[in-house]
Amino acid sequence: HKKITVAMDNDIAGFKGAFKIHKELGREVEINIALFRGKDAGEQSYDAWQKSINNTITFTEFEVQLIRRNPELYNNIKKQIYGNNY
């Protein structure tokens, strides 16, 4: 059983990146997401990285959070990544 953790920017491009990774690997690999409070993962402190890596969520949890926060954005990203047949 393979497992990866990805850290994406906390913006639309980062969200799309997570969905693209899931589209390519989702059935073969357990994908966990490291979340950050700030927009840019690359600008986070060492402590913020440690906290994020130690508190990852599954891709499914990431999806549910996005649906709750912004259902329209979720649907737009799904259509862009998976097409109209998702």
Side-chain angles (χ1 to χ4, degrees):
H1 180 73
K2 296 178 183 178
K3 177 179 172 180
I4 63 169
T5 298
V6 295
M8 301 291 190
D9 287 352
N10 190 20
D11 58 16
I12 294 172
F15 301 157
K16 286 181 184 178
F19 277 89
K20 287 178 183 178
I21 290 169
H22 183 263
K23 180 181 177 183
E24 296 299 321
L25 303 176
R27 303 237 184 256
E28 300 172 26
V29 177
E30 178 184 337
I31 300 169
N32 290 306
I33 309 291
L35 299 175
F36 295 93
R37 289 190 185 272
K39 185 176 177 182
D40 189 354
E43 295 177 359
Q44 300 301 309
S45 69
Y46 176 81
D47 290 338
W49 270 94
Q50 288 293 94
K51 182 177 180 183
S52 182
I53 295 299
N54 290 328
N55 294 292
T56 61
I57 61 172
T58 66
F59 182 81
T60 301
E61 291 170 313
F62 167 75
E63 264 190 303
V64 169
Q65 286 185 15
L66 185 55
I67 291 167
R68 286 182 178 159
R69 279 190 354 213
N70 193 332
E72 184 178 345
L73 176 61
Y74 171 80
N75 286 324
N76 288 338
I77 291 173
K78 291 282 283 196
K79 285 179 185 174
Q80 288 177 24
I81 304 302
Y82 298 100
N84 290 325
N85 298 322
Y86 77 89

